[in-house]
Amino acid sequence: MAVFSSRLLSLSFLCCVVLIIIFISQASADNNTQNYHYFCDFNNRSGNYAANSTYHTNLNTLLSTLTSNTEIDYGFYNLSYGQNTDRVNAIGLCRGDIKPDACRSCLSGSRANLTQLCPNQKEAIGWYEDEKCMLRYSDRSIFDTMETGPAYYANNMLNATNLDEFNQVLNTLLGSLRSKAASGDSRLKYAADKSSDRNFQTIYGLVQCTPDLSASQCDDCLVQSIARIPIDCCKDRIGGRVVRPSCNMRFETSFLFYDPTPSTTTTNTSSSSGGKSNTTVIAITVPIAVVVVVLIFICIYFRARKPTKKYKTQEREEDDEDDDDIEISESLQFNFNTIRDATNDFSDSNKLGQGGFGAVYRGSLSDGQEIAVKRLSKDSGQGDLEFKNEVLLVAKLQHRNLVRLLGFCLEGKERLLVYEFVPNKSLDYFIFDQTKRAQLNWESRYKIIAGIARGILYLHEDSRLRIIHRDLKASNILLDGEMSPKISDFGMARLFIVDQTHGDTNRIVGTYGYMAPEYAMHGQFSVKSDVFSFGVLVLEIVSGQKNCSIGQGENIEDLLSLAWRNWRDGSATNIIDPMLNNDSRNEIMRCIHIGLLCVQENVASRPTMASVVLMLNSYSVTLSLPSEPAFYVDSRTGNLPDMSWEYNSGATRSSESTTKSAQASVDEAPITELHTR
């Protein structure tokens, strides 16, 4: 009888657990869309996509990539997928206090809701779980653009007391938070804090912008949002919020609504979308606690019964470690036959270019996606090294201004890298061609400069790794369908640990004309080496001239010398590309100034890329005076300073001093290009 009673009690307990789980699941399902604000095709111009169309496939692929991306741990995702009219752009933003796992979970829930509530809509936006995350996608470009609509407002139904003092404290708090958020970097523009009035009434405030905005754009967006408080948001209320695509603002006095530690405070707050009662909170929280306790006991029970296994560790030889690193990226591995079919057996008609380490081919996968395939030379020992370098580095990078590595193939002697296809070739294809550079007005060129800067900043500071590219040049800047820049070719890149500031090498690689002097002569490289290369690029983009010998006869000088001499003499407008006419003359002159700051000989005098991005985005930043650039050529003598180094891509630096003149220098390193030369 006792045994029967025990079994009956156990059965009853299990039934209760099942009912609780069902209740919680139902409550969660009901709550998924109640606490969700969304808008579909709010511009009334994007229209619908057909089910199972290329756009539909691209959308699903992009959202799946976004919500499963574990490389990004700062809560901001901005990705694109597809080409031309089937291109999908998406932004995912989590509130600054949300942990990475919770962020991905929130975006995953938002993805399910948004695609269900906006079926077949090319453009949609949704905010989930009290703005813990925002997800939006569109067929138009939505990056680097401040958008204040569509928006929604909500407020607490209770009125504040001592209104004059309350509003003064609130405005001061939000103004301070606005400044802090606007000064954030490209990963996070977020600020939260509290303030109290003389009656010890605490006001909690939070503001946030999408990090792709400039400081001024973020500030403008938040100014407009805060201005809505006395108009149509939450005048004299103890809590309120203004939520927009590019920024959001919220304040409360009755409870703490942010912070990684969940607040246990309850309130009778309500908003335009409806509030949750204390009863609902208790009805969900208590059963969850019970279920968690039960699951813990179950886990302990099975853990105790589970026999201990002994695993034999097998030592690996040091030479095998690189191969094990590649195995980490097995999900990115392509079958060789798939790539061969995509490129029509690597036919010459699909060949985009030829470099020192192999050829690049255009291809099309079975789903219609266009790709660029780098096929490393089978007889190149360096090719294997560059291959592993690119796979291990580039596969971990996600930024719209970097060419995206889709996968690789490692089969027999074949070493293939599969990239997204970038349709508009490279920057040098346009900027150094007398006819084609007319297609690049100043607006396009400035967009390219700013995009390159953001891409380098991501490599140096914002990615999980600190990467020195070491081969930034015009031919390694690809241009997508919207003429936005994408940095490519990471075969020469080097990885730095977090606190590392510089490195040394005996193997000088790269392209003469873009190399910083400390690297070219002594093999020393750092983030400032890339800054030097960026400065050269800026001056080339502004002038339309290569950084090589310019002029005729005795009056020969390189671009850096020409730019410095004209800047020093007050005639910097002489180096501006005549095709730019009088477009944005002040902005062009500012870019020349920034370029000269980047190519200074003194490493410490060069700005960081974070400073460069700030200079490009804000005219309130005062620029210091540049000093003479490295390798300055006096046009009166035509003499270069002594450069005791030997340039040989792929070779070790000679111990013997060798001096090279500008005329005898090597102009291009044998590096694979992803476009037609």
Side-chain angles (χ1 to χ4, degrees), residues 272-520:
S272 59
S273 62
K276 293 186 283 187
S277 67
N278 293 337
T279 304
T280 303
V281 174
I282 295 172
I284 293 177
T285 304
V286 173
I288 289 176
V290 172
V291 172
V292 170
V293 172
V294 171
L295 291 176
I296 289 174
F297 277 108
I298 292 174
C299 290
I300 293 174
Y301 173 73
F302 282 105
R303 181 72 176 175
R305 293 190 59 189
K306 188 175 181 179
T308 303
K309 293 184 179 180
K310 294 183 179 179
Y311 294 90
K312 181 180 179 181
T313 59
Q314 182 178 1
E315 294 184 358
R316 297 182 304 172
E317 294 183 4
E318 185 176 351
D319 292 341
D320 294 333
E321 290 183 358
D322 290 337
D323 293 332
D324 291 336
D325 286 336
I326 290 181
E327 289 176 7
I328 297 174
S329 303
E330 282 184 352
S331 60
L332 300 175
Q333 189 155 4
F334 280 80
N335 181 276
F336 178 73
N337 290 333
T338 300
I339 304 302
R340 183 167 56 189
D341 293 342
T343 59
N344 192 22
D345 199 13
F346 304 100
S347 65
D348 289 340
S349 60
N350 283 6
K351 193 171 184 178
L352 295 174
Q354 178 74 42
F357 297 129
V360 180
Y361 298 86
R362 181 174 181 173
S364 180
L365 299 176
S366 57
D367 61 359
Q369 181 181 1
E370 289 189 297
I371 57 175
V373 180
K374 179 191 288 188
R375 189 184 195 186
L376 300 182
S377 302
K378 297 178 182 178
D379 57 351
S380 172
Q382 289 178 332
D384 288 349
L385 294 176
E386 309 306 336
F387 173 81
K388 292 183 180 180
N389 193 16
E390 289 203 61
V391 169
L392 296 177
L393 289 180
V394 186
K396 299 175 183 177
L397 304 178
Q398 292 284 341
H399 193 276
R400 64 183 177 278
N401 294 122
L402 305 181
V403 173
R404 188 159 59 95
L405 179 70
L406 303 179
F408 68 96
C409 176
L410 180 60
E411 194 167 315
K413 293 185 178 181
E414 291 289 350
R415 302 288 189 271
L416 307 174
L417 289 167
V418 183
Y419 291 95
E420 64 173 318
F421 177 72
V422 183
N424 277 329
K425 302 185 179 181
S426 66
L427 177 60
D428 68 323
Y429 179 79
F430 289 91
I431 203 69
F432 300 140
D433 185 278
Q434 188 69 24
T435 302
K436 295 184 177 62
R437 75 168 180 261
Q439 301 175 34
L440 295 179
N441 58 19
W442 176 245
E443 182 180 359
S444 299
R445 298 192 197 196
Y446 191 78
K447 175 182 177 181
I448 292 169
I449 291 172
I452 298 170
R454 285 193 301 268
I456 304 172
L457 174 61
Y458 172 80
L459 294 175
H460 289 181
E461 298 185 22
D462 295 342
S463 68
R464 296 184 65 184
L465 309 167
R466 172 173 284 187
I467 295 172
I468 314 300
H469 189 281
R470 296 204 301 169
D471 198 28
L472 292 167
K473 57 182 177 180
S475 58
N476 280 342
I477 306 299
L478 307 188
L479 302 174
D480 66 11
E482 298 175 350
M483 300 301 283
S484 294
K486 289 179 177 288
I487 300 171
S488 71
D489 207 326
F490 290 82
M492 306 301 177
R494 291 292 293 270
L495 173 65
F496 272 18
I497 60 177
V498 176
D499 297 326
Q500 187 176 357
T501 58
H502 68 278
D504 296 276
T505 182
N506 286 326
R507 182 167 174 260
I508 307 299
V509 291
T511 305
Y512 176 62
Y514 294 93
M515 286 185 184
E518 69 277 6
Y519 178 55

